[in-house]
Amino acid sequence: MIEMFDVWKTYPNGTNALKGINIRIEKGEFVYVVGPSGAGKSTFIKLMYREEKPTKGQIFLGGFNVSRIKERQIPTVRRSIGVVFQDFKLLPTLSVFENVAFAMEVIEASPKQIKPRVMDVLGLVKLKHKAKMLPRELSGGEQQRVALARALVNNPGIIIADEPTGNLDPETSWEIMKLFEEINQRGTTVVMATHNREIVNTMRKRVIAIEAGQIARDEQRGEYGYED
Ligand code: ADP
Ligand code: ADP
């Protein structure tokens, strides 16, 4: 479960990116975060995985008070969250297998646990046969599937994604979305910022719209609602 109570974010240059956000996302939900560019979607997402700290307010995530945790607890929180980015953020010199394994090495899993688990998640994203390839040898959609495998490998309760289909063509975007849906059906909470109007309007999940740093809409089976 994710909760925010009166969350504000002001960047050091004075930009008020979020202004009093209150939200509750239940375990197992699938939520789209939509809104115009510059509305505060990325900031909202970054606060969840502790990339940014709120200026004011409280954030609870899977039992942790994210706004209060000590530096040394950040890895524990990150372990309970998988994050997927628009630009994949794979390590270019590591193979597909190594990119995914790295996320387990960071949490000090044993080599004995790592190999079967990595092959398991690569199976889920249908990339077992490309385990030895480098990211640059893969298409964009395949790279995003590696990123998704990496996000899932430690079995987090929550997957957070910031524009995961932003660099992909429509057909590939749908493949990635089907994977997110499958992951959600297995019980993982999904929170995704997106500009993909077609996907939001077809999948009909909960939609939270952020405009000028505030929640403008929060609807079950909502729509994208913008013309961009
Ligand atoms: P969105 O993801 O909806 O495009 P962002 O959360 O990226 O919105 O940005 C919200 C506002 O905060 C924008 O005005 C943006 O320029 C500003 N902003 C984002 N990141 C920073 C930063 N690191 N420093 C200063 N301002 C920022
Ligand atoms: P897309 O149609 O998504 O642009 P690509 O044309 O980039 O896909 O890739 C098509 C297939 O060829 C993918 O399965 C990818 O893994 C493979 N591929 C692309 N570039 C290379 C490369 N440099 N070495 C090996 N395989 C590659």
Side-chain angles (χ1 to χ4, degrees), residues 130 133 136-140 142:
K130 298 205 170 171
M133 288 195 177
R136 65 166 172 272
E137 296 173 321
L138 305 180
S139 70
E142 288 170 333

Side-chain angles (χ1 to χ4, degrees), residues 15-228:
T15 304
N16 273 314
L18 293 176
K19 300 182 246 181
I21 299 287
N22 290 288
I23 202 82
R24 180 188 170 103
I25 295 172
E26 302 295 339
K27 187 170 164 35
E29 275 196 274
F30 194 126
V31 180
Y32 288 119
V33 180
V34 305
S37 266
K41 303 181 295 299
S42 288
T43 304
F44 178 75
I45 294 274
K46 284 176 182 163
L47 288 172
M48 285 185 195
Y49 67 92
R50 214 354 180 104
E51 173 72 18
E52 294 286 352
K53 286 192 216 175
T55 310
K56 179 172 177 284
Q58 305 290 327
I59 301 171
F60 293 90
L61 199 144
F64 293 94
N65 183 339
V66 189
S67 24
R68 290 266 171 85
I69 52 166
K70 308 262 186 308
E71 289 297 316
R72 64 180 161 77
Q73 290 177 302
I74 293 175
T76 317
V77 172
R78 295 234 171 108
R79 198 177 308 171
S80 63
I81 309 170
V83 188
V84 175
F85 305 94
Q86 176 170 2
D87 60 357
F88 324 134
K89 296 202 194 298
L90 300 175
L91 297 165
T93 59
L94 300 185
S95 71
V96 166
F97 181 94
E98 289 162 346
N99 263 281
V100 179
F102 187 70
M104 288 188 81
E105 284 157 13
V106 169
I107 66 157
E108 292 171 358
S110 73
K112 239 175 127 175
Q113 290 175 301
I114 292 176
K115 183 145 194 217
R117 176 64 189 156
V118 171
M119 290 319 276
D120 237 32
V121 281
L122 286 180
L124 178 68
V125 301
K126 299 178 182 70
L127 277 178
K128 259 187 194 169
H129 61 298
K130 298 205 170 171
K132 290 186 176 141
M133 288 195 177
L134 291 172
R136 65 166 172 272
E137 296 173 321
L138 305 180
S139 70
E142 288 170 333
Q143 290 183 58
Q144 194 58 297
R145 277 150 58 196
V146 177
L148 194 49
R150 178 183 58 186
L152 285 170
V153 76
N154 293 325
N155 213 1
I158 304 164
I159 291 272
I160 292 173
D162 196 353
E163 297 271 358
T165 63
N167 284 345
L168 305 175
D169 60 56
E171 198 184 326
T172 311
S173 298
W174 274 109
E175 281 170 27
I176 295 291
M177 290 310 305
K178 298 253 161 65
L179 280 171
F180 274 103
E181 180 144 65
E182 194 179 325
I183 288 155
N184 176 246
Q185 275 162 5
R186 292 172 182 223
T188 308
T189 308
V190 176
V191 181
M192 181 187 298
T194 185
H195 275 122
N196 199 316
R197 177 174 213 281
E198 191 201 331
I199 282 176
V200 173
N201 288 346
T202 309
M203 305 239 316
R204 303 307 294 264
K205 307 284 190 189
R206 179 175 173 188
V207 174
I208 296 172
I210 298 182
E211 294 175 20
Q214 295 183 307
I215 296 191
R217 271 189 289 141
D218 181 355
E219 296 165 343
Q220 299 295 332
R221 298 182 54 75
E223 288 189 48
Y224 185 72
Y226 301 98
E227 292 305 320
D228 66 341

